[in-house]
Amino acid sequence: MIITVFHFLNITKSEVEAFPSMLKVFPLYCRLVLKFMEKIENLKTIKGDAYDYYAYPSDADDLFEKIFLVGDIVDAICQPSKIFLIGEKGSGKTAYSVYMAKKKNSSVKCSISMVNDLLYRKFLNMKRNNALVLSDMKDIWLVILYLVVAEKYQETYGKSIFSGMKFKKLKKAIDAFYSDAFKPELVNAFEFVQNASSSINLMAAAGVFSSGHESGKETQEKYVEHSYQISLLKLQKGFEEAFEELGESNSYILFIDGIDARPVDIDNKEYFECITGLVNAVLELNRGVLAKKHVKVMPLMRPDVMYRIPVQNMNQKVRDNSVLLNWDTSYKGYVKSKLFKIAGDYFAKQQTEEIDGEKAWDCYFPYKIPHKNRKNAPSYSENAFVEFLRYSSYKPRDILTMLNEMVMATKGSHFSHDDFLGMLNSYFGYLEGELKDYLLIYMTEENYEDFRLFFDYFHGMRDFSYAVFKEKHLEYIHYLKDAGRQIPPEMDTVQRALQLLYDANVIGYRETFVAHPGKSEVRVHWSFKERTYANVRPNVRMNETYMFHLGYSRAFGIW
């Protein structure tokens, strides 16, 4: 019977003879099924930037939608009280917004608007020309967001929303300002706000503002600006009156993406002034008329950026009004993790026959890896996925980047451990790029190059004590000063440097504690595992034993 099955599957005689030894590394199920599974060279890969699926849709986007993990996160995003989507770079913030924006039959319609470099420059040019004060930034953001929501909402739901006369009149005023050529993006909306007097007069002429005039008649009285701040408030009032007339049956979310990228010509202080204005505007806007109409604006925020926004009771707002993306798992419990489901579906959803994600993973990754720090375990008994976790910060983009690199570099029916090792050099380049993007909010390009030198002081020391870190930090600071170079932001003191590296998941630390009388245990802490709603930016402990993350240790030649 076995021979008949082998003949049917076109397995050679030599393969049959080697079958008993092959079973040690290759489950029987996979050995039989692989004949029907796609070759690695025929598999698709996932785009590194999920926004491309939204900006440049194509028929090849089905893999993204097939492996996307809906779960309870989508339900949480749709809750009216949740107005910030918080997650580290690569944790899936953009992917969730794209998935929801592309979902045509959803009861909650969604769109995405990007914050780009030009928008920051427009804000800062006005500030530098003394045309606005910091308190104006929030009000400018409010009007910009109202304008973009109004246009995208109308695009989404069509002219059926014009049952309210004021919304129809508002649309008429916007079309008049932009000569019927308005593209509803944040940077384009800035012009409407910047020229507040002209915008107000067009809105008044269209009959947007409440007045003593007979309903439906346009006013000819011209608005004369005496204070830009008063003009902003009048614009807000016009939008709010228009939104008041909307029905309450059409739910809508506008996601704001691109916030965690600072333009190179805008310094850190100015960047955070702009973002603070946005956050304050979102808080006010989502408590007002839009909330009554089931419409909200939801920025996509990095936890470290959110932590630094000087907003009253921010910690409570994170708890009550945010959705926090956390993909934490363990080496023992990885099978039930969301990360493993994504990885398994990456392969399972590309087969012509239906197959479970875990089984698909085992077929493509039949090899085992050594256990670490586990006594009495067989030398090679850990699933290959555990090694993916070791080199990642438990983020979907990390895992998918490794899988993409392996698929692009491999042919055949399954991967070997050598294929994984061969992929790492490309992955290390990705890791360094991710770290650089993370730090460029705080640093210039020149700062980053000087920051990178810090790792040279730790060659051969993946693990180090607090005393060693202090010593190496002092050597590093002396070198920069002697060379006449600037100390990178957040690297000027031992404590700030440790915290920055911990925030960026470059280092973790080991805490030794007494579990039972006469018995001590060690607990390992990583920022990405410690982060919760109650503690969006975990603090690193002083005077502990520290270690570099395995991926960054290899990427920077520490080993």
Side-chain angles (χ1 to χ4, degrees):
M1 177 63 182
I2 290 289
I3 298 298
T4 304
V5 172
F6 285 155
H7 177 74
F8 175 72
L9 294 175
N10 195 29
I11 295 175
T12 66
K13 180 179 179 183
S14 60
E15 287 179 307
V16 173
E17 292 170 349
F19 190 75
S21 61
M22 289 173 62
L23 287 179
K24 294 178 182 178
V25 295
F26 215 155
L28 175 61
Y29 175 86
C30 295
R31 187 64 186 160
L32 298 177
V33 169
L34 266 180
K35 292 292 180 178
F36 301 103
M37 296 186 75
E38 290 288 341
K39 297 290 186 183
I40 294 171
E41 57 266 34
N42 296 331
L43 297 176
K44 297 178 183 177
T45 56
I46 289 289
K47 294 177 182 178
D49 186 351
Y51 185 73
D52 287 347
Y53 288 110
Y54 180 76
Y56 314 106
S58 71
D59 294 336
D61 294 353
D62 59 326
L63 180 59
F64 168 77
E65 296 182 10
K66 285 178 179 177
I67 74 168
F68 186 83
L69 192 63
V70 180
D72 54 357
I73 295 295
V74 170
D75 293 336
I77 289 171
C78 292
Q79 291 178 21
S81 63
K82 304 301 183 182
I83 57 178
F84 297 104
L85 181 55
I86 301 176
E88 293 188 54
K89 185 175 173 60
S91 63
K93 301 186 299 297
T94 300
Y96 274 102
S97 65
V98 168
Y99 175 83
M100 294 179 70
K102 287 170 66 70
K103 205 69 178 170
K104 294 180 180 179
N105 299 322
S106 173
S107 60
V108 180
K109 304 297 184 185
C110 305
S111 304
I112 305 171
S113 278
M114 295 292 290
V115 177
N116 60 24
D117 291 6
L118 182 56
L119 182 60
Y120 288 117
R121 293 190 189 102
K122 285 179 177 289
F123 269 104
L124 272 302
N125 285 339
M126 284 189 73
K127 179 178 175 251
R128 291 166 183 170
N129 293 330
N130 298 315
L132 66 91
V133 295
L134 285 181
S135 59
D136 292 337
M137 282 199 177
K138 182 261 292 181
D139 295 322
I140 291 175
W141 273 113
L142 266 172
V143 179
I144 288 174
L145 293 173
Y146 270 132
L147 175 53
V148 173
V149 168
E151 284 291 300
K152 285 189 174 283
Y153 187 90
Q154 186 268 326
E155 276 186 359
T156 302
Y157 285 107
K159 294 186 178 180
S160 61
I161 66 170
F162 290 152
S163 56
M165 286 301 297
K166 285 196 175 179
F167 210 93
K168 188 173 184 179
K169 292 173 180 177
L170 175 63
K171 173 67 174 168
K172 178 181 176 182
I174 294 170
D175 288 344
F177 185 91
Y178 289 98
S179 302
D180 297 316
F182 178 60
K183 293 182 179 179
E185 296 301 334
L186 299 172
V187 68
N188 299 330
F190 193 92
E191 186 181 354
F192 190 86
V193 184
Q194 193 171 18
N195 297 280
S197 293
S198 298
S199 301
I200 290 169
N201 280 314
L202 285 168
M203 290 168 72
V208 173
F209 298 107
S210 296
S211 66
H213 296 274
E214 186 180 341
S215 178
K217 290 190 176 180
E218 299 175 351
T219 178
Q220 300 301 316
E221 184 179 345
K222 291 292 183 182
Y223 173 79
V224 179
E225 181 173 284
H226 298 289
S227 162
Y228 184 61
Q229 193 166 38
I230 292 174
S231 297
L232 289 174
L233 294 174
K234 190 167 182 64
L235 284 173
Q236 291 173 36
K237 184 174 182 292
F239 278 99
E240 287 165 0
E241 289 183 3
F243 274 106
E244 282 283 5
E245 292 189 349
L246 281 183
E248 299 179 10
S249 59
N250 298 326
S251 297
Y252 176 78
I253 301 172
L254 174 66
F255 293 105
I256 307 296
D257 200 358
I259 296 168
D260 55 2
R262 178 182 62 84
V264 294
D265 55 342
I266 294 176
D267 67 30
N268 178 268
K269 181 175 179 290
E270 293 173 325
Y271 164 79
F272 273 98
E273 287 173 354
C274 284
I275 299 305
T276 300
L278 170 61
V279 168
N280 280 315
V282 166
L283 287 168
E284 182 174 325
L285 183 144
N286 286 322
R287 286 194 299 258
V289 62
L290 294 191
K292 295 186 290 184
K293 306 301 178 181
H294 308 298
V295 175
K296 70 178 180 181
V297 175
M298 191 173 217
L300 280 49
M301 306 286 293
R302 270 176 29 182
D304 58 305
V305 172
M306 196 73 179
Y307 177 83
R308 293 167 189 262
I309 301 292
V311 172
Q312 189 175 10
N313 296 325
M314 178 56 85
N315 195 46
Q316 195 62 43
K317 289 178 173 61
V318 170
R319 288 178 183 230
D320 297 341
N321 305 122
S322 301
V323 177
L324 177 65
L325 299 180
N326 187 321
W327 301 85
D328 189 25
T329 184
S330 66
Y331 296 163
K332 286 183 180 180
Y334 77 89
V335 173
K336 296 181 179 179
S337 71
K338 296 176 182 178
L339 282 176
F340 184 64
K341 177 164 177 52
I342 291 173
D345 284 349
Y346 181 101
F347 299 102
K349 300 302 183 183
Q350 300 199 58
Q351 308 306 316
T352 54
E353 301 293 332
E354 187 173 344
I355 184 172
D356 173 76
E358 183 180 353
K359 290 185 174 67
W361 175 271
D362 288 340
C363 288
Y364 281 105
F365 290 89
Y367 65 87
K368 301 293 184 182
I369 61 170
H371 268 296
K372 275 194 172 183
N373 304 323
R374 201 178 296 179
K375 295 179 181 178
N376 303 319
S379 58
Y380 283 84
S381 56
E382 199 94 87
N383 190 282
F385 187 72
V386 171
E387 195 162 28
F388 283 77
L389 291 178
R390 289 175 186 165
Y391 279 92
S392 78
S393 295
Y394 293 19
K395 297 183 292 189
R397 187 185 293 168
D398 291 353
I399 303 297
L400 291 172
T401 296
M402 286 188 266
L403 292 178
N404 281 346
E405 292 292 339
M406 291 184 72
V407 166
M408 290 187 290
T410 311
K411 293 183 179 180
S413 60
H414 60 277
F415 299 103
S416 69
H417 191 235
D418 285 343
D419 295 325
F420 179 88
L421 297 177
M423 165 275 297
L424 288 177
N425 279 337
S426 297
Y427 178 68
F428 294 153
Y430 153 82
L431 274 185
E432 184 171 355
E434 291 289 282
L435 178 62
K436 183 177 181 180
D437 287 346
Y438 174 92
L439 292 173
L440 285 181
I441 277 186
Y442 309 108
M443 303 177 180
T444 64
E445 290 269 357
E446 187 177 359
N447 288 153
Y448 176 77
E449 293 305 316
D450 289 334
F451 163 83
R452 200 181 184 285
L453 294 174
F454 188 60
F455 298 110
D456 293 343
Y457 292 83
F458 291 87
H459 285 310
M461 289 188 291
R462 189 185 165 207
D463 295 72
F464 54 92
S465 66
Y466 183 71
V468 167
F469 189 85
K470 285 178 67 176
E471 176 190 336
K472 298 301 180 184
H473 181 266
L474 185 61
E475 292 177 20
Y476 169 71
I477 296 298
H478 282 165
Y479 168 77
L480 292 179
K481 288 182 176 179
D482 291 344
R485 297 162 85 163
Q486 184 182 19
I487 300 171
E490 311 295 323
M491 290 293 289
D492 53 336
T493 69
V494 170
Q495 185 168 351
R496 279 159 61 87
L498 271 174
Q499 187 64 50
L500 178 68
L501 293 171
Y502 187 63
D503 288 344
N505 302 318
V506 174
I507 64 168
Y509 68 92
R510 295 186 182 92
E511 174 194 6
T512 302
F513 63 98
V514 178
H516 304 287
K519 183 180 180 182
S520 62
E521 292 187 5
V522 176
R523 180 178 296 155
V524 178
H525 296 266
W526 295 100
S527 180
F528 61 84
K529 292 175 75 69
E530 302 289 318
R531 188 172 291 113
T532 64
Y533 284 100
N535 190 14
V536 72
R537 192 208 187 198
N539 287 320
V540 65
R541 291 258 306 254
M542 300 295 110
N543 297 301
E544 299 288 354
T545 301
Y546 306 90
M547 62 282 183
F548 284 100
H549 182 280
L550 179 60
Y552 288 114
S553 174
R554 300 291 194 268
F556 290 106
I558 295 167
W559 291 83

